[in-house]
Amino acid sequence: MNRLETTLDENEEYIGSTVWKALEEAFERVDDEADEIESKLEEAQQRIDELESALEALKYAGS
């Protein structure tokens, strides 16, 4: 019985560490994707700012 308990404990530790590792990897991927999205949003905001400035310049040029 003792050997069975030891094997069960070892399996539980292995499964726990495997699940934990998979969760860490998933969180890293999500974090990387979030960084990429944030970078794209910043680029889009820069472009919006540039277009708004150009529009203002056109308004003043037309007045």
Side-chain angles (χ1 to χ4, degrees):
M1 192 64 131
N2 196 8
R3 177 68 186 137
L4 178 59
E5 288 175 0
T6 301
T7 302
L8 289 173
D9 288 345
E10 289 171 351
N11 285 343
E12 186 177 308
E13 280 183 36
Y14 174 76
I15 290 169
S17 66
T18 301
V19 169
W20 187 254
K21 183 178 179 183
L23 284 171
E24 285 179 330
E25 290 172 357
F27 281 124
E28 286 176 20
R29 283 193 304 274
V30 168
D31 192 44
D32 290 345
E33 289 175 13
D35 288 345
E36 187 177 327
I37 290 169
E38 184 178 6
S39 176
K40 288 180 180 181
L41 286 172
E42 288 172 358
E43 290 173 10
Q45 185 59 53
Q46 265 187 321
R47 185 66 179 139
I48 289 169
D49 292 345
E50 291 169 1
L51 291 171
E52 286 177 341
S53 293
L55 181 59
E56 286 298 315
L58 287 172
K59 284 181 183 177
Y60 288 121
S63 344

